[in-house]
Amino acid sequence: MSQARARRLEVSPAALGSLALHVAVAAAFMISWGSRDLKVGAVVPVTIVSNAPDVDTRPAVQGPETQEAATEEPVAEAPPEPAPPPQPVPPPPTPKAAPTPTPKPVTPAAKTPAKPAPKSFDLDALSASLTAPARNAQQRPSAAPKGPSRTETAPVARQTVGTGLAAGAALQGLAEELQRRWNPNCEVEGGRDVVVRVTFQLGVGGQVVGDVQSQIQGARTPVSQAAADRAVRAVYAAAPFRNLPREFYGDRVAVNFNAREACAR
Amino acid sequence: MVRSFTGSAVLRLALVATAAASLAACQSKPKPTYPTQAPSQPTAPPSTPLPPQAGPVTGQPTAPLPGSVQDFVVNVGDRVYFDTDQHEIREDARPLLTAQADWLKRYSSVVVKIEGNADERGTREYNLALGARRANSVRDFLVAQGVTGARISTISFGKEQPIDAGSGEDAWQKNRNAHTAIVSGAR
Amino acid sequence: MTRTRVRAQARNPLAAFLFILLSAITLIAALAQPARAEIEVNVNRGDVQPLPIAVPAFGGGQVGADISGVISANLQRSGLFRPLDPASFVEKGLTANVQPRFADWKTINAQALVNGQVTVEGGKLRVDFRLWDVFAEQQLLGLQFTASPESWRKVAHKISDAVYERLTGEKGYFDTRVVFVAESGSRLNPVKRLAIMDQDGANPSYLTSGDSIVMTPRFSSNSQEVTYMSLRPDSSTIYILNLETARRESLGTFPGMVFAPRFSPDGGRVVFSVERAGNSDLYVMNLSSRTSTRLTTDPAIDTSGSFSPDGGRIVFNSDRSGSPQLYVMGADGSGARRISSGSGRYTTPVWSPTGEFIAFTKQTGGEFHIGVMRPDGSDERLLTSSYLDEGPTWAPNGRVLMFSRETPGGAPKLWSVDVTGRILQPMPYPGAGSDPAWSPLLN
């Protein structure tokens, strides 16, 4: 009997070790789950430094991209032109020369000027402002970084693998970048009411992998469809998203573009 | 009032004409054209080529022929003025319109057209309607004074035919008017 | 050791049970963990500005460059687009049949790209164009038009409408015409002629000789007919002019002034004003039966009627309350109800083609304004202010208004403003003009 007890005592360290290992693994799983569920906005407030002039044109790398063959699209023929209005009066007038549209660029009242958009882009000035070597125009740019890193303006640039603080700040930077690239149409009737949810997957290096999906909150009208296009365009334009904590890469991102708020300003 | 073309009527007309002519001959210079007692009824310097208003007042060697358009324009007055947005006949317009009525009753074959006008401080269609009201106010007045309604037609030009091209109350008050135009029947 | 362990397991059912239980828990925990987390981001601000768009010259010589010029001008004038300077374009010589080098266009931040090609085939113009989403790197539109060579402007307008609609969701208004009163002469001796032009001021031509004053023209819904009032020294007449046949017919003779004609949306009726003994009222005429019905009977001025898009109601201008205000009644004259509520004089109401607004002229404080309100009178907004703004007309998409503006002592000019009031600019037509009326979209 004592032998059995001794034996029981003998094996219990192994069993204990096994037990401890199981507990540790289970606990590790649970801990990491909790820290992933992070919503931007519920994060430590970080002061946003003003955005640098926008020169970043890194295109998003898409997953399996089917190159569209430049085929002729189905035609929409204009019907035969109705005759120009006949003049019941014999002397035709002298049309007052070729009418030049008076170029008075009417700028709408500045809402939230995230950046003062320059009127035209001078490539020399553009390249002068770059700190990195000039970008080359490739059809399929790689994920290699080009141009100045966005971290110069990101409020917090940390490469550390996610504490909640750094992750939240990096996501704030992501939101800022989308904000800069999103051009909502506040002028059309109904444009101010559109809320669009755009989802995509982050690849290694922060680029967009695969399709970008959009979901319109509310009725699907031509106006809301056009607004969804603009939201999707913002994602493509803002990608790749740098300086996100590593564990975000591979995640799905859902962006809620709220025109109601954006147009209210 | 039906007038029959009798010999007595012709005689009366000739007598009146002679009397008027002799009266005119007695005068050394023509009477002033516009009643000047009301400052709110300005003497409009004729600035348009419209025939009834053309011609300076002074310096006419001979008096207008009685019963002629000139006579009407020069000796009676062919335009009355209105307040902003109003179509009622002003107090200071009454004597002139009464004189018009008298003249029209005297020269009973004359047919007139009342043209209503408005200033530019209104939109096109509403001002056309306003001019029509003004023309009609003048017509009502004349009819009430005994002129046959059938001799008076009305039309509105709204703000389309200003007589003063300026912009300011001076011009606008001149453009708020009703013009009595002789259509036919005058000498 | 193994032997010991096996024997321990055999001998220790509690340990065995715990071992299995823990394994199970671990397994469940592992499975319950989602494969990928979803990150939520809220974007509540944007860069609100006209959409930067690139419209390089279409291939095919001068006409190609002309077409893209008209498209750029249309989009720019709408206020919703900012055509980029062609001098900044990196990729040159882009034709319609080749995919653009998107990176070149991203460099200049063009969000959209319109390119095309013009070819002449059998005496006809064939225009191919494509609209690209630069950042998403995909084609949004691709269309081909065939037209006679002298209709190249119409093709440019149709392309402008297609691009506008695809990128905003709203219908465009570029393939339209405007009828208006062209003025010349002096203020005291004006010559007024009915005229028509493209909405960008091109192709102006006269429709009347200038013998008589013409006023307040309006298009019919099929845009083939125009109604207007002709004012002669002795009479006023409402005409319906057929633009294709040049045939002109009178609405009839009436005992007093007739004015302010407007077509119903189905083109079957005309609402107009008739004056009797100084009193102006609204009438409606059925054009096929040629019978007129009186709609208002009070002694006030009732004029400037305008049908709702469904033809069931009429908004008009009446001073029955003492000053000119806006009223809405049934198209049969029933149930007139005042909708204007501010202080000031309201005239020239026009119902928007989409039914959402009624535009009007308002006079207050010595100034004139173009304004809009909802059909129930709410949400009144003044869009312009000047010495003399009057007579708005709606573009067919219900978003842009054209009106006439006059400075003291000056000649009237045509201006446009959008329904937010932010995009206010003179029309490209260089001459003096008033009383504009916008056509529907041409087919």
Side-chain angles (χ1 to χ4, degrees):
Chain A
M1 212 119 90
S2 61
Q3 218 183 10
R5 214 179 278 143
R7 269 206 207 106
R8 218 177 285 147
L9 284 168
E10 272 176 32
V11 303
S12 70
L16 272 171
S18 167
L19 171 70
L21 198 64
H22 277 91
V23 169
V25 169
F29 271 124
M30 287 170 200
I31 287 170
S32 63
W33 184 352
S35 76
R36 282 294 185 139
D37 191 2
L38 191 69
K39 281 201 190 304
V40 176
V43 127
V44 175
V46 176
T47 2
I48 305 300
V49 173
S50 71
N51 297 304
D54 168 45
V55 296
D56 187 7
T57 58
R58 281 165 288 176
V61 169
Q62 298 179 354
E65 182 184 281
T66 49
Q67 195 76 317
E68 264 193 11
T71 52
E72 295 286 87
E73 286 290 325
V75 290
E77 304 235 348
E81 164 70 6
Q87 286 138 343
V89 179
T94 52
K96 325 236 167 149
T100 54
T102 47
K104 287 208 170 72
V106 185
T107 53
K111 306 211 103 171
T112 38
K115 60 171 165 58
K119 191 123 171 82
S120 67
F121 284 87
D122 182 13
L123 278 183
D124 290 336
L126 209 67
S127 54
S129 65
L130 294 177
T131 56
R135 59 210 63 220
N136 42 359
Q138 287 175 0
Q139 276 282 50
R140 307 273 204 103
S142 67
K146 291 184 193 165
S149 166
R150 251 187 270 264
T151 56
E152 287 164 25
T153 59
V156 174
R158 292 278 177 270
Q159 291 287 0
T160 53
V161 170
T163 61
L165 195 73
L171 282 178
Q172 190 83 328
L174 185 152
E176 280 287 312
E177 196 53 41
L178 288 168
Q179 183 180 309
R180 251 183 354 113
R181 292 310 211 141
W182 179 40
N183 184 331
N185 186 353
C186 298
E187 304 290 344
V188 288
E189 188 73 13
R192 292 163 163 265
D193 297 328
V194 182
V195 176
V196 180
R197 184 182 172 85
V198 176
T199 53
F200 60 97
Q201 186 150 358
L202 278 176
V204 174
Q207 75 274 34
V208 171
V209 174
D211 277 346
V212 177
Q213 315 274 347
S214 68
Q215 193 185 334
I216 297 164
Q217 194 181 92
R220 187 181 202 81
T221 63
V223 169
S224 65
Q225 180 61 62
D229 288 350
R230 288 172 184 243
V232 168
R233 205 172 295 147
V235 169
Y236 279 119
F241 304 99
R242 305 250 168 243
N243 306 307
L244 294 175
R246 238 171 233 219
E247 64 262 22
F248 286 3
Y249 297 142
D251 285 351
R252 285 203 70 77
V253 181
V255 186
N256 298 307
F257 289 92
N258 192 330
R260 267 185 220 126
E261 300 235 4
C263 292
R265 295 161 192 274
Chain B
M1 207 161 53
V2 177
R3 284 287 214 122
S4 52
F5 197 76
T6 59
S8 65
V10 175
L11 187 63
R12 238 178 291 162
L13 205 61
L15 272 172
V16 168
T18 316
S22 49
L23 208 63
C26 288
Q27 291 176 340
S28 51
K29 66 175 184 209
K31 284 197 310 224
T33 60
Y34 292 93
T36 52
Q37 68 271 30
S40 57
Q41 197 148 209
T43 62
S47 51
T48 75
L50 293 173
Q53 295 177 303
V57 169
T58 55
Q60 291 214 216
T62 55
L65 195 63
S68 67
V69 173
Q70 279 281 68
D71 179 28
F72 182 77
V73 173
V74 166
N75 296 327
V76 176
D78 61 345
R79 206 177 285 270
V80 295
Y81 303 90
F82 296 86
D83 290 336
T84 306
D85 298 328
Q86 300 303 314
H87 60 279
E88 286 78 22
I89 306 294
R90 294 205 309 232
E91 276 308 306
D92 53 8
R94 290 173 172 268
L96 192 149
L97 286 181
T98 307
Q100 283 192 8
D102 291 342
W103 193 94
L104 287 169
K105 285 186 288 189
R106 188 181 310 141
Y107 303 107
S108 53
S109 60
V110 173
V111 173
V112 293
K113 173 183 67 167
I114 317 292
E115 299 164 350
N117 294 290
D119 65 25
E120 64 173 2
R121 302 310 282 162
T123 55
R124 214 171 290 284
E125 287 163 349
Y126 183 83
N127 277 15
L128 203 67
L130 184 57
R133 268 190 178 155
R134 287 172 176 161
N136 195 69
S137 291
V138 169
R139 183 180 182 279
D140 283 351
F141 187 97
L142 296 175
V143 167
Q145 295 277 310
V147 182
T148 314
R151 298 167 58 196
I152 312 171
S153 66
T154 58
I155 191 169
S156 168
F157 291 127
K159 59 173 182 172
E160 308 305 307
Q161 296 202 333
I163 60 172
D164 188 321
S167 34
E169 182 55 25
D170 282 348
W172 300 335
Q173 64 184 352
K174 290 179 196 139
N175 292 327
R176 297 190 295 266
N177 65 69
H179 174 238
T180 307
I182 291 180
V183 174
S184 66
R187 298 252 193 88
Chain C
M1 258 335 230
T2 332
R3 281 183 71 223
T4 315
R5 210 181 278 151
V6 165
R7 240 188 287 163
Q9 285 177 350
R11 294 233 192 145
N12 198 339
L14 180 62
F17 171 73
L18 279 171
F19 175 79
I20 292 166
L21 183 67
L22 281 167
S23 308
I25 289 169
T26 310
L27 193 64
I28 290 165
L31 285 173
Q33 173 68 30
R36 284 280 170 260
E38 189 158 275
I39 303 167
E40 285 278 325
V41 180
N42 293 321
V43 176
N44 298 326
R45 293 162 63 127
D47 182 20
V48 180
Q49 59 151 335
L51 192 144
I53 188 170
V55 188
F58 281 22
Q62 184 60 44
V63 67
D66 289 343
I67 286 177
S68 54
V70 168
I71 295 170
S72 281
N74 280 339
L75 294 176
Q76 198 259 322
R77 222 175 33 253
S78 76
L80 300 187
F81 295 90
R82 183 162 59 88
L84 300 171
D85 183 359
S88 68
F89 296 168
V90 175
E91 183 177 11
K92 311 269 187 209
L94 184 62
T95 62
N97 303 327
V98 174
Q99 176 138 319
R101 287 206 299 272
F102 292 113
D104 282 355
W105 301 99
K106 294 179 192 181
T107 299
I108 58 172
N109 200 31
Q111 292 199 18
L113 166 66
V114 179
N115 68 328
Q117 179 77 33
V118 180
T119 42
V120 181
E121 276 181 356
K124 291 233 169 221
L125 220 58
R126 199 192 82 198
V127 183
D128 303 88
F129 91 95
R130 292 171 199 274
L131 169 67
W132 301 91
D133 185 328
V134 169
F135 283 99
E137 298 195 6
Q138 65 181 30
Q139 178 179 308
L140 296 178
L141 272 184
L143 294 174
Q144 183 186 80
F145 292 98
T146 308
S148 55
E150 60 268 14
S151 303
W152 65 270
R153 278 186 169 270
K154 189 179 176 70
V155 174
H157 292 314
K158 283 195 160 327
I159 294 173
S160 308
D161 281 331
V163 168
Y164 181 97
E165 185 171 350
R166 186 65 180 80
L167 294 176
T168 68
E170 236 185 22
K171 285 222 156 296
Y173 57 94
F174 301 111
D175 188 23
T176 54
R177 289 191 296 183
V178 175
V179 69
F180 64 103
V181 176
E183 301 199 11
S184 52
S186 69
R187 296 202 94 194
L188 299 180
N189 275 313
V191 176
K192 296 198 171 193
R193 276 182 281 196
L194 210 60
I196 191 167
M197 63 180 179
D198 295 350
Q199 54 78 26
D200 63 352
N203 294 328
S205 66
Y206 296 119
L207 300 174
T208 63
S209 64
D211 282 349
S212 65
I213 296 171
V214 288
M215 291 172 55
T216 62
R218 294 283 166 188
F219 267 102
S220 71
S221 54
N222 62 7
S223 75
Q224 312 296 14
E225 290 179 321
V226 168
T227 184
Y228 68 98
M229 189 274 254
S230 173
L231 185 56
R232 295 191 182 81
D234 296 321
S235 63
S236 59
T237 315
I238 290 176
Y239 287 107
I240 296 178
L241 171 66
N242 187 308
L243 294 175
E244 295 197 314
T245 65
R247 186 165 158 264
R248 185 174 80 160
E249 54 172 326
S250 157
L251 214 62
T253 48
F254 296 83
M257 298 286 298
V258 287
F259 53 108
R262 312 268 197 284
F263 282 102
S264 62
D266 63 6
R269 291 167 288 167
V270 172
V271 62
F272 59 106
S273 291
V274 177
E275 172 258 340
R276 278 180 212 271
N279 175 29
S280 297
D281 280 307
L282 285 171
Y283 286 69
V284 66
M285 176 181 290
N286 182 308
L287 288 177
S288 42
S289 67
R290 288 290 162 151
T291 53
S292 292
T293 312
R294 184 171 180 172
L295 299 179
T296 63
T297 52
D298 59 77
I301 289 176
D302 300 303
T303 184
S304 301
S306 170
F307 279 94
S308 60
D310 65 3
R313 286 173 296 167
I314 292 174
V315 62
F316 65 100
N317 167 24
S318 171
D319 65 2
R320 56 187 68 178
S321 72
S323 71
Q325 300 291 326
L326 302 185
Y327 292 75
V328 171
M329 65 181 174
D332 60 355
S334 61
R337 194 174 54 84
R338 177 169 162 178
I339 63 168
S340 54
S341 55
S343 67
R345 302 158 63 85
Y346 295 80
T347 52
T348 76
V350 271
W351 216 306
S352 77
T354 50
E356 284 152 350
F357 294 107
I358 289 172
F360 53 87
T361 305
K362 180 172 179 178
Q363 290 164 251
T364 179
E367 292 266 290
F368 281 64
H369 312 270
I370 303 297
V372 291
M373 63 172 70
R374 299 283 174 188
D376 64 357
S378 61
D379 273 357
E380 177 183 324
R381 278 184 295 117
L382 299 183
L383 307 179
T384 75
S385 176
S386 93
Y387 175 79
L388 181 47
D389 286 344
E390 71 166 303
T393 178
W394 288 98
N397 68 353
R399 213 192 137 261
V400 180
L401 288 160
M402 199 182 304
F403 61 98
S404 138
R405 169 169 283 193
E406 212 172 296
T407 50
K413 303 279 284 174
L414 298 176
W415 281 64
S416 73
V417 67
D418 79 320
V419 85
T420 67
R422 282 194 280 272
I423 305 161
L424 171 67
Q425 59 198 328
M427 287 298 294
Y429 178 73
S434 62
D435 289 0
W438 219 313
S439 78
L441 275 172
L442 307 174
N443 50 3

